[in-house]
Amino acid sequence: MNDESRSRNLVKLVRDLQRRKARERRARVVLEGRRLVADVLEAGARVLGLVVAEDAAAADAVPLLEEAERRHLDVQRLPRAEFDALAGTESPGGVLAVADWAPRDLASLAPPASCLLLVLDGVQDPGNVGTMIRTAHALGACATVALDGTADVRSPKVLRSAMGSHFRHPVAEAAFDAFAAWAARGGFTVLCAASDGAPVADVHRGGRVALVVGSEGHGVRAAWAAHPHRRVAIPMRGDAESLNAAVAAAILAWELLRDVR
Amino acid sequence: MNDESRSRNLVKLVRDLQRRKARERRARVVLEGRRLVADVLEAGARVLGLVVAEDAAAADAVPLLEEAERRHLDVQRLPRAEFDALAGTESPGGVLAVADWAPRDLASLAPPASCLLLVLDGVQDPGNVGTMIRTAHALGACATVALDGTADVRSPKVLRSAMGSHFRHPVAEAAFDAFAAWAARGGFTVLCAASDGAPVADVHRGGRVALVVGSEGHGVRAAWAAHPHRRVAIPMRGDAESLNAAVAAAILAWELLRDVR
């Protein structure tokens, strides 16, 4: 295959990866934005190729393209209008890339005897999902698990908000029943974030802890009632509406990691 | 003035309030979204009127419109396309409102002897600014101060992310020099969030604390060097990029409020 047809195939691949099914089947994702692409290259990910807007290729993206050349990566240049039509997020800065990535499964996680696992239970907003993965990674959680009903962890918006953490922190997917059984077998204490929960500072910590955060509107799923768990909350002023879901997850994770740090 | 011309004036006012200068001069803001408008009415804000998409007026917005009628508020119905052209945020759900609101000035704040003040120093992203105001309110900070260079706290996106906290928590604006002088006179300990700072858990707390958070890209402004301050950080994994600015502000505020709570 010559260079030109290989590049055309790259654009076709990016288009295909806009569908969740294609991302699942191909075990590949689209990374949007210069900083994210540079970070993921540095993390040692297998990057298949870059697509660059012509104006960016002559400006900010030059160092990144030199790096791509050193690595013999396929680079496809597109007029800005075509690039913008291809990119899904709002300000991708004229660069995107395709990389190998797939979520782990539970069996491949090896949680240490003392650890915090962040569990996303139906978190819908891709920005929040990505921010939560980024936070779990930065604070030292052992992994993030996305349960069914959560926004696709492979979506460009999630990858963009997570700022490269997918490539440095274990991110897994699991069905609810499989996760609940796995957590019980592993001796995890399950703590569900809920506004009527016990103040997080009063909750016993230590050992393996799974912190479950739900959707901003509805909280964790009702099915947890059939499994051992405790409900934990962040004490708030009485007249406050609530916290942003990613902010609440961050404060709870920070507080629960106090004894692990 | 008859009802029809008053309603036309409301739409004109919403358009005018898209400009920062107009929001400043009129001391009024636009609230977008059904939940936000309902919350702000409940908070006792002076709401001038509502603009509603015709499809929403016949569906989800019915209870809100009944409430508006009880309060004798001006309500303007628009075809959906016209409404969407008027609304600035992405999914305003067919309802927006105009309300009286202006930031406080420093002289009107009366910080107690022990308190945390959140200071936004050039935070650019309106979603982050709003989330930080919401967090400061929920966690019990005494006020939020936006320094020059920060996104306009009156913008619809900031109000939307703050979920009504503008109407329940003091939000002030100040120029940098004026703020630094006011904080020194008030005996505030100034703590600037910075990745090279001391771990936040090791920092002496108590009394009046001003937590200063900067832009996601550049941190707090260099001019702090000329004023007494300490730099504080959230300990992170070595291979982590950074934390989202609103997440970092939340964790620092939570930790610093430990002794105030």
Side-chain angles (χ1 to χ4, degrees):
Chain A
M1 190 164 57
N2 64 26
D3 279 3
E4 204 187 323
S5 67
R6 201 171 60 186
S7 290
R8 273 203 308 274
N9 284 344
L10 182 61
V11 170
K12 223 173 120 183
L13 178 59
V14 171
R15 270 202 205 98
D16 192 35
L17 291 173
Q18 285 165 357
R19 297 178 308 119
R20 178 170 187 159
K21 284 282 172 215
R23 294 193 289 264
E24 287 179 7
R25 195 180 65 244
R26 293 180 183 274
R28 285 175 176 164
V29 294
V30 175
L31 309 163
E32 299 190 347
R34 191 160 41 89
R35 192 167 157 196
L36 175 61
V37 172
D39 182 65
V40 165
L41 279 172
E42 198 191 301
R46 188 168 166 256
V47 173
L48 279 81
L50 273 63
V51 181
V52 186
E54 275 162 5
D55 57 310
D60 291 345
V62 170
L64 187 55
L65 292 180
E66 288 169 358
E67 179 63 27
E69 199 170 320
R70 272 193 295 280
R71 294 175 187 236
H72 307 290
L73 296 178
D74 184 18
V75 175
Q76 164 77 24
R77 287 156 203 252
L78 290 182
R80 171 57 78 162
E82 280 180 49
F83 180 88
D84 286 346
L86 191 64
T89 58
E90 258 178 58
S91 52
V95 179
L96 58 80
V98 175
D100 285 350
W101 190 84
R104 312 262 295 257
D105 54 23
L106 293 175
S108 80
L109 299 179
S114 180
C115 67
L116 181 76
L117 190 72
L118 180 63
V119 183
L120 312 185
D121 184 15
V123 181
Q124 293 292 324
D125 180 75
N128 276 345
V129 170
T131 300
M132 289 176 185
I133 292 170
R134 180 180 176 190
T135 303
H137 172 220
L139 296 185
C142 63
T144 300
V145 178
L147 301 184
D148 52 285
T150 298
D152 184 12
V153 293
R154 306 165 192 79
S155 86
K157 280 189 185 168
V158 171
L159 282 143
R160 194 168 158 78
S161 305
M163 297 279 286
S165 291
H166 286 66
F167 297 88
R168 293 183 162 104
H169 164 82
V171 176
E173 268 189 347
F176 172 76
D177 289 334
F179 176 77
W182 177 86
R185 276 199 311 275
F188 276 88
T189 301
V190 175
L191 300 177
C192 293
S195 55
D196 63 356
V200 59
D202 299 348
V203 170
H204 167 76
R205 273 111 18 142
R208 290 173 167 171
V209 174
L211 168 63
V212 185
V213 295
S215 74
E216 201 152 335
H218 303 97
V220 302
R221 79 184 72 197
W224 282 109
H227 299 272
H229 73 284
R230 285 195 65 183
R231 295 163 80 84
V232 290
I234 298 166
M236 282 191 287
R237 277 179 56 103
D239 67 348
E241 165 66 23
S242 61
L243 286 164
N244 167 279
V247 162
I251 292 173
L252 291 170
W254 165 262
E255 186 66 29
L256 294 168
L257 280 162
R258 185 173 298 281
D259 297 340
V260 177
R261 276 193 296 271
Chain B
M1 189 163 59
N2 64 26
D3 279 4
E4 203 186 324
S5 67
R6 202 172 58 186
S7 289
R8 273 204 307 274
N9 285 345
L10 183 62
V11 170
K12 222 171 123 184
L13 178 59
V14 171
R15 271 202 205 98
D16 192 35
L17 292 173
Q18 284 165 359
R19 297 177 308 118
R20 178 170 186 159
K21 284 283 171 215
R23 294 192 289 263
E24 287 178 8
R25 195 180 64 246
R26 293 180 182 274
R28 286 175 176 163
V29 293
V30 175
L31 310 163
E32 299 190 346
R34 191 162 38 92
R35 192 165 156 197
L36 176 60
V37 172
D39 183 64
V40 166
L41 279 172
E42 198 191 301
R46 187 167 168 257
V47 173
L48 279 81
L50 273 62
V51 181
V52 186
E54 275 164 3
D55 56 311
D60 291 345
V62 170
L64 187 55
L65 292 179
E66 288 169 358
E67 179 62 27
E69 198 170 322
R70 271 193 295 278
R71 294 174 188 238
H72 307 290
L73 297 177
D74 184 18
V75 175
Q76 165 77 24
R77 288 158 202 247
L78 290 182
R80 170 58 80 164
E82 279 180 52
F83 180 89
D84 286 345
L86 191 64
T89 57
E90 258 177 61
S91 50
V95 179
L96 58 79
V98 175
D100 285 351
W101 190 85
R104 313 265 292 258
D105 53 23
L106 293 175
S108 79
L109 298 179
S114 180
C115 67
L116 180 76
L117 190 71
L118 180 62
V119 183
L120 312 186
D121 184 12
V123 180
Q124 293 293 324
D125 180 75
N128 276 345
V129 171
T131 301
M132 289 176 185
I133 292 171
R134 180 180 175 188
T135 303
H137 172 220
L139 296 185
C142 63
T144 300
V145 178
L147 301 185
D148 52 284
T150 297
D152 183 12
V153 293
R154 305 163 192 80
S155 85
K157 280 189 186 169
V158 171
L159 282 143
R160 194 167 157 78
S161 304
M163 297 278 286
S165 291
H166 286 66
F167 296 88
R168 293 184 162 102
H169 164 83
V171 176
E173 267 190 347
F176 172 76
D177 289 333
F179 176 77
W182 177 86
R185 276 200 310 277
F188 275 89
T189 301
V190 175
L191 301 177
C192 293
S195 56
D196 63 355
V200 61
D202 299 348
V203 170
H204 168 76
R205 276 126 354 157
R208 289 173 168 172
V209 174
L211 168 63
V212 185
V213 295
S215 75
E216 202 152 337
H218 303 98
V220 302
R221 79 185 72 197
W224 282 108
H227 299 271
H229 74 284
R230 287 195 65 184
R231 294 164 78 84
V232 290
I234 298 165
M236 282 191 288
R237 278 179 55 103
D239 67 348
E241 165 66 24
S242 62
L243 286 164
N244 167 279
V247 162
I251 292 173
L252 290 170
W254 166 262
E255 185 66 28
L256 293 169
L257 280 162
R258 184 173 299 280
D259 297 341
V260 177
R261 276 193 297 270

